[in-house]
């Protein structure tokens, strides 16, 4: 898409990912399954989230989702929506446990001005049509809106549009623009979510738990995250060539490669220095201080700020395996949460 606020290009330089031509012409499912097999020798994860860049741009992507759907309670694919063709959507809907996380900054082209540069404007109607098709097929959809100076004050209108158009089946998440692009794309500090919070009861069917909305609103007012983050205690980030990161958002130098070190997860999970760096009582890294996102519904649940019934409204966590795992995590780490 060449979104003006995207960090992927910078991070890709660190991760030695294959070049674009290889991604388009080479089916790498065997490599990906090899990585997953190594991972699952030690870990039983109920949820898989797939991202790219654009995952559906890759050769064999739809087939890979279908193969993984038998292994997980939920497979969620983060997508820009461009490649959600009717045949692909029908295949995904037929699997029964596949969800989509659509990157979309609003319901008008103007609100997506940082996401869709002028050369991509024609794609807006394509994406909106694909969203219509996906909802009609009953695929659960999260929408991720990056909050910038172009759209931050219109999120209540966006939520109202989703409610009126779809009624249910979609949930609108938000996160402030992150990293160095904040300097050029972030809105000025302010109470930008006042209207959204005021209208929460009306718009609740398409919004995540109230505490999450208030958390985002607070960060927009102060510019700094203060909520402790235990994302690294609840997941592992795997890259297509085997690299492993403890955080799915801030991609530091990998902890190692699971192909080269088959015991990496069991030996390093929770013990590598990256965990100590990320799981401070308050965020320490400059990137962490500007970072928040849908994972914070998990943080808020673990801290007892939102209830199990509230997080069960969030489609990826609604299944019995996911809820059981969340209870287990909360019980295991509750002493640490209490002291924090």
């Amino acid at each position: 898409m060449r979104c003006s606020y995207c960090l992927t290009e910078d991070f890709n330089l660190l991760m030695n990912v294959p070049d674009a031509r290889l991604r388009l012409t080479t089916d790498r499912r065997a490599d990906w399954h090899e990585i997953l097999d190594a991972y699952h020798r030690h870990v039983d994860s109920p949820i898989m989230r797939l991202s790219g860049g654009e995952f559906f741009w890759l050769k064999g992507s739809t087939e890979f989702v279908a193969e993984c759907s038998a292994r997980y309670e939920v497979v969620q694919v983060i997508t820009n929506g461009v490649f959600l063709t009717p045949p692909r959507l029908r295949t995904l809907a037929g699997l029964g446990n596949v969800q989509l996380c659509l990157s979309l900054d609003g319901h008008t082209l103007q609100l997506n001005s940082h996401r869709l540069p002028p050369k991509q404007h024609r794609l807006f109607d394509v994406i909106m049509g694909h969203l219509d098709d996906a909802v009609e097929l009953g695929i659960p959809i999260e929408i991720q809106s990056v909050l910038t100076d172009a759209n931050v004050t219109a999120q209540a209108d966006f939520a109202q549009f989703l409610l009126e158009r779809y009624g249910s089946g979609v949930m609108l998440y938000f996160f402030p623009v992150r990293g160095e692009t904040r300097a050029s794309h972030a809105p000025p500090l302010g109470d930008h979510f006042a209207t959204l919070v005021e209208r929460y009861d009306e718009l609740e069917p398409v919004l995540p738990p109230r505490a999450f909305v208030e958390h985002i609103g607070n960060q927009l007012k102060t510019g700094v995250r203060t909520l402790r983050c235990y994302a690294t205690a609840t997941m592992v980030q795997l890259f297509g060539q085997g690299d492993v990161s403890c955080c799915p958002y801030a991609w530091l130098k990998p902890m190692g490669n699971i192909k080269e070190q088959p015991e990496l997860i069991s030996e390093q999970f929770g013990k590598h220095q990256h965990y100590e760096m990320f799981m401070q009582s308050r965020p320490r890294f400059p990137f962490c201080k500007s970072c928040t996102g849908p994972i914070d519904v998990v943080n808020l649940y673990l801290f007892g700020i939102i209830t199990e019934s509230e997080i069960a409204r969030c489609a990826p966590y609604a299944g019995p395996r996911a809820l059981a795992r969340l209870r287990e995590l909360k019980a295991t780490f509750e002493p640490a949460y209490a002291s924090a």
Side-chain angles (χ1 to χ4, degrees):
M1 273 309 196
R2 300 295 177 186
C3 308
S4 58
Y5 49 64
C6 186
L7 306 174
T8 304
E9 289 301 318
D10 293 336
F11 285 135
N12 277 347
L13 296 175
L14 301 177
M15 308 310 288
N16 298 316
V17 297
D19 64 27
R21 185 174 302 173
L22 179 59
R23 299 184 212 181
L24 287 169
T25 60
T26 304
D27 189 328
R28 299 187 62 234
R29 284 181 287 160
D31 293 335
W32 301 337
H33 282 302
E34 179 186 356
I35 292 164
L36 288 177
D37 289 342
Y39 174 73
H40 282 288
R41 280 196 282 272
H42 301 285
V43 185
D44 170 33
S45 292
I47 298 171
M48 168 186 259
R49 300 185 83 216
L50 290 163
S51 64
E54 174 52 43
F55 185 73
F56 285 128
W57 189 49
L58 307 181
K59 186 175 179 63
S61 55
T62 305
E63 294 83 354
F64 183 69
V65 173
E67 291 158 2
C68 289
S69 69
R71 192 169 206 169
Y72 298 91
E73 185 171 55
V74 166
V75 177
Q76 185 189 69
V77 188
I78 301 172
T79 176
N80 60 29
V82 172
F83 300 110
L84 297 178
T85 59
R88 172 170 278 149
L89 285 172
R90 286 195 295 269
T91 297
L92 299 177
L95 296 171
N97 65 337
V98 173
Q99 304 177 10
L100 295 174
C101 180
L102 180 66
S103 299
L104 187 68
D105 293 347
H107 56 297
T108 68
L109 181 58
Q110 181 180 6
L111 297 178
N112 286 275
S113 58
H114 289 313
R115 166 157 287 276
L116 293 166
K119 289 183 179 180
Q120 308 282 21
H121 281 181
R122 62 184 177 80
L123 294 176
F124 177 71
D125 290 337
V126 173
I127 294 167
M128 296 303 289
H130 289 168
L131 174 58
D132 288 344
D133 294 342
V135 174
E136 186 175 349
L137 287 167
I139 300 174
I141 297 171
E142 289 183 353
I143 294 177
Q144 289 192 141
S145 177
V146 180
L147 301 172
T148 68
D149 53 7
N151 72 341
V152 69
T153 59
Q155 294 303 297
D157 293 337
F158 188 16
Q160 181 175 340
F161 168 87
L162 295 173
L163 182 62
E164 292 176 352
R165 192 175 184 95
Y166 305 119
S168 61
V170 300
M171 184 168 282
L172 176 60
Y173 287 85
F174 332 84
F175 60 87
V177 63
R178 297 186 285 229
E180 295 181 359
T181 54
R182 285 198 306 161
S184 55
H185 291 74
L189 299 181
D191 194 8
H192 300 297
F193 267 25
T195 301
L196 194 64
V197 173
E198 183 179 319
R199 297 180 60 190
Y200 181 84
D201 290 342
E202 169 197 352
L203 301 171
E204 181 180 13
V206 295
L207 291 177
R210 180 190 292 270
F212 175 86
V213 178
E214 293 174 343
H215 165 56
I216 301 294
N218 182 67
Q219 189 161 330
L220 291 169
K221 281 191 279 190
T222 65
V224 179
R225 177 194 180 98
T226 57
L227 182 71
R228 191 170 188 172
C229 182
Y230 282 162
T232 55
T234 64
M235 65 183 66
V236 171
Q237 176 88 345
L238 303 173
F239 289 86
Q241 76 285 13
D243 284 346
V244 179
S245 170
C246 73
C247 178
Y249 303 109
W251 300 343
L252 303 180
K253 182 179 177 181
M255 294 190 294
N257 188 289
I258 200 169
K259 286 186 174 182
E260 300 166 0
Q261 304 163 260
E263 305 300 315
L264 175 67
I265 303 296
S266 61
E267 291 178 353
Q268 293 296 325
F269 187 86
K271 302 171 187 175
H272 190 279
Q273 63 177 347
H274 286 179
Y275 290 95
E276 183 178 350
M277 295 161 69
F278 280 113
M279 294 175 63
Q280 296 287 326
S281 57
R282 293 172 72 88
R284 302 296 185 189
F285 289 140
F287 181 89
C288 295
K289 292 179 181 179
S290 70
C291 178
T292 193
I295 186 59
D296 277 315
V297 295
V298 174
N299 279 317
L300 292 166
Y301 167 78
L302 294 174
F303 295 141
I305 299 171
I306 67 175
T307 65
E308 183 171 310
S309 61
E310 286 180 300
I311 201 168
R313 283 205 308 114
C314 306
Y317 312 110
R321 285 185 63 200
L323 288 173
R325 183 61 49 82
L326 284 169
R327 290 186 209 110
E328 181 183 355
L329 285 165
K330 186 173 183 179
T332 301
F333 291 107
E334 204 145 29
Y337 302 149
S339 65

